[in-house]
Amino acid sequence: MSVFSKTPEVEVRERRLHSVITYNGTAKDLYEKSKSGSYAPCDRSFSQCSSCMGGQGGGVIAHIRDVALVCHAPIGCDAGMYNAALAARGTALARGQKPFSLHVLSTNIQERDTIFGAAEKLRNAIREADSRFKPRAIMVSTSCASGIIGEDIESAAEEMEEELGYPVVPIYCEGFKSKIWSTGFDSVFHAILRKLVKPPQKKQEDLVNIFNFGGTDTFTLLLKRMNLRVNYLIAMTDLEQLETISEAACSTTICETLSLYVAAVLEEQYGVPEIKTASPYGLDWTDTWLRAIGKATGREELAEKVIAEEREKYREEMEELRSKLNGKRLYVISGDSFAHNLANIGKSLGLELAGATSLHHDLHTDNPESVNTLNALIESNGDIPNFSVCNMQPYQVVKILRKLRPDLLVCRHIGLTGIGSKLGIPTLFEGDANYSIGYEGVVKMGWRIYEALQTKKLVENVARHFEMPYTDWWLDEEDPFYFEGGHGK
Ligand code: SF4
């Protein structure tokens, strides 16, 4: 069966990949159960918070330079856009590019629109986006409100495309459809693949697609040494870069969770091979990733040269770091594959993995041959006894950390970092996913961890003055997953 769906919408991850938001056990057990299909996903009967796939999708699309985004939603759905605006500005500055302003409008669906419809509002917002931003394409994202009232976005987009003479592309990302917010990434990539990507005119043998968020540019220098060019996707791109991703020599990523759908479709539809090794986090994974890139682009010797040189360049510094960090117990909380990536860096630095929590887990991948990063982590690290899946529920994270008391917490999401400090655990926020790639990235992470560990006294002091907002009953309850599977209803 084709991975690429010809329908306007891509199937949500729960149904497509049997993704789950709760699990408690060991890494190996979860992997074995995913493989055998014996894991029966269950929900929790109490949720403290969540995130919206529409917000995730919008955040990604808003970073394209000559594209405008019209959110067909109540205004509050796009409150998080200020984050995207900051991230876009930060990325532009970090990459030495001219500052970037978001081109985003909301149709501001209101109560009466949910009764009488809001198609005219949408058409007017698209015209407004055209006149304000002069984009080369307009993306239209949906929301719970537009989905529930059954707005015909497809027809409105087609009409406006004819009127304006350039692509008007719907993205179907109604928040209520999926508890896995990464489904929003799939919605965005599906819209781009369906409406913007063109069949290759010529193959660009030295071009590597790197699916990514914003942040610093660390891939360009590394791959330049293999005479390769980097196509950072999709933050800060322009329309032409998107249209020609089918011409690249291969696709790779900073996180399989972000790009497993688009990479699988590019391989299936246009023959752009997906790099099927874990992303370059940790020394061993960087070796295998560079070799895989070398193989896909006919540069195997160059890959070996870069590996040998980089290993030698950082050998002494790595020894020093390992001696400083050896045996410290690390806990990682991050999105699915990125949690595995961060944990693998810890392994390279000689840290002991006390455990990890991923924010969801895809039991399958779109392309069955894609790398399974959980398995890659088990192979490099051995089993991880305290492994859980938890979609960012602070009430559970608090209990997990209180129980395990790691020496260090590394979080990818800033909202969770405060929990570590309040518990007296030195905590590192890993906001820029590019920062820790490759050999240099491991060393930089090592020094940041070393510095974070120096905050021990400070965070212990913070913890002494902090009172948890939970009842004694919850804090004394043994099981952080008490509400799993309907328990506690
Ligand atoms: S879940 Fe629905 S209502 Fe909430 S932000 Fe997302 S689209 Fe808007």
Side-chain angles (χ1 to χ4, degrees):
M1 204 177 99
S2 171
V3 178
F4 183 48
S5 153
K6 297 273 190 296
T7 58
E9 300 182 42
V10 63
E11 190 71 284
V12 296
R13 288 200 181 197
E14 286 93 330
R15 286 196 286 277
R16 219 175 75 239
L17 308 177
H18 302 283
S19 309
V20 297
I21 53 170
T22 182
Y23 169 81
N24 188 24
T26 70
K28 206 167 179 180
D29 175 66
L30 179 59
Y31 172 66
E32 295 295 341
K33 284 179 173 158
S34 313
K35 219 167 56 162
S36 64
S38 61
Y39 180 64
C42 59
D43 211 340
R44 56 173 66 76
S45 57
F46 171 65
S47 246
Q48 194 173 16
C49 59
S50 186
S51 188
C52 165
M53 71 184 245
Q56 301 300 325
V60 172
I61 212 82
H63 285 68
I64 304 172
R65 281 193 180 274
D66 44 10
V67 167
L69 171 64
V70 172
C71 307
H72 196 30
I75 192 82
C77 293
D78 305 300
M81 276 296 161
Y82 80 94
N83 254 340
L86 288 175
R89 194 171 172 75
T91 296
L93 294 174
R95 295 186 191 173
Q97 298 173 356
K98 69 174 186 199
F100 179 86
S101 302
L102 295 195
H103 296 159
V104 181
L105 290 181
S106 169
T107 56
N108 191 14
I109 291 180
Q110 296 191 337
E111 198 173 344
R112 60 175 286 121
D113 301 321
T114 62
I115 299 161
F116 298 108
E120 198 44 38
K121 247 184 164 177
L122 174 59
R123 282 190 280 268
N124 286 337
I126 293 173
R127 287 186 190 108
E128 182 67 26
D130 173 64
S131 89
R132 273 200 213 181
F133 307 128
K134 307 274 178 280
R136 292 173 63 206
I138 293 179
M139 313 295 279
V140 178
S141 64
T142 58
S143 63
C144 294
S146 63
I148 288 167
I149 63 173
E151 285 276 271
D152 184 0
I153 314 272
E154 199 69 11
S155 301
E158 276 168 20
E159 261 173 57
M160 293 311 298
E161 186 164 305
E162 218 176 299
E163 184 179 316
L164 299 176
Y166 57 73
V168 177
V169 182
I171 307 168
Y172 296 97
C173 52
E174 298 89 336
F176 68 83
K177 281 189 182 160
S178 176
K179 287 184 180 170
I180 316 289
W181 55 80
S182 300
T183 300
F185 305 143
D186 306 335
S187 305
V188 163
F189 285 126
H190 184 65
I192 290 172
L193 287 160
R194 192 165 79 96
K195 294 282 192 178
L196 298 180
V197 176
K198 294 180 175 165
Q201 297 299 306
K202 55 178 187 325
K203 274 287 172 192
Q204 302 190 41
E205 300 298 340
D206 61 346
L207 188 67
V208 178
N209 288 333
I210 298 191
F211 291 100
N212 212 309
F213 296 103
T216 43
D217 175 1
T218 42
F219 281 91
T220 298
L221 279 181
L222 183 61
L223 289 187
K224 201 172 169 193
R225 294 173 60 189
M226 290 166 66
N227 302 326
L228 291 168
R229 288 179 300 128
V230 166
N231 200 19
Y232 263 111
L233 297 163
I234 57 176
M236 320 314 276
T237 46
D238 57 26
L239 188 61
E240 201 180 333
Q241 266 174 284
L242 291 180
E243 287 171 342
T244 54
I245 56 177
S246 57
E247 296 182 356
C250 59
S251 297
T252 183
T253 183
I254 49 117
C255 173
E256 283 66 24
T257 301
L258 167 69
S259 60
L260 44 71
Y261 178 73
V262 62
V265 173
L266 284 176
E267 180 169 297
E268 176 192 80
Q269 299 290 314
Y270 302 113
V272 180
E274 176 193 5
I275 296 299
K276 297 182 182 69
T277 64
S279 300
Y281 294 89
L283 301 182
D284 50 348
W285 287 7
T286 304
D287 291 348
T288 49
W289 180 82
L290 280 171
R291 286 189 178 113
I293 297 266
K295 193 167 176 203
T297 58
R299 289 161 168 82
E300 279 132 309
E301 276 180 30
L302 275 176
E304 292 304 330
K305 187 166 176 281
V306 173
I307 292 168
E309 286 173 2
E310 290 286 292
R311 285 275 194 170
E312 183 51 30
K313 182 175 171 188
Y314 294 109
R315 190 174 48 79
E316 278 180 22
E317 215 170 344
M318 281 300 299
E319 277 165 20
E320 186 185 348
L321 277 167
R322 282 196 193 107
S323 71
K324 285 184 187 312
L325 303 177
N326 191 28
K328 296 284 182 201
R329 295 171 65 249
L330 164 72
Y331 199 91
V332 170
I333 305 179
S334 177
D336 189 13
S337 284
F338 206 74
H340 313 151
N341 297 345
L342 291 173
N344 198 56
I345 297 182
K347 158 95 182 348
S348 289
L349 290 166
L351 294 158
E352 185 191 316
L353 198 52
T357 298
S358 64
L359 304 183
H360 83 273
H361 183 68
D362 300 318
L363 296 187
H364 304 298
T365 47
D366 284 300
N367 180 346
E369 287 166 19
S370 294
V371 63
N372 184 309
T373 52
L374 180 60
N375 187 38
L377 181 63
I378 295 165
E379 278 176 3
S380 69
N381 187 80
D383 194 10
I384 301 156
N386 301 295
F387 193 89
S388 56
V389 177
C390 165
N391 62 342
M392 221 162 41
Q393 304 297 320
Y395 77 97
Q396 290 185 294
V397 172
V398 160
K399 289 183 71 71
I400 293 168
L401 293 176
R402 267 166 56 112
K403 199 168 164 188
L404 293 174
R405 302 245 38 119
D407 297 309
L408 178 83
L409 172 66
V410 177
C411 284
R412 169 100 171 102
H413 297 81
I414 198 155
L416 292 171
T417 49
I419 295 178
S421 309
K422 288 167 188 171
L423 290 170
I425 301 167
T427 301
L428 187 69
F429 169 51
E430 181 68 355
D432 180 349
N434 295 285
Y435 204 66
S436 302
I437 67 123
Y439 307 94
E440 189 184 4
V442 177
V443 170
K444 284 193 296 192
M445 169 71 99
W447 287 117
R448 285 189 297 140
I449 286 177
Y450 180 69
E451 280 173 13
L453 289 169
Q454 313 310 310
T455 66
K456 179 80 180 149
K457 278 213 164 61
L458 171 73
V459 291
E460 280 176 351
N461 209 5
V462 170
R464 262 198 298 279
H465 292 88
F466 180 70
E467 205 175 311
M468 289 279 159
Y470 302 106
T471 62
D472 289 343
W473 166 75
W474 179 244
L475 292 176
D476 293 341
E477 162 59 44
E478 260 296 293
D479 182 12
F481 289 80
Y482 174 84
F483 290 103
E484 199 177 73
H487 191 196
K489 261 185 181 166

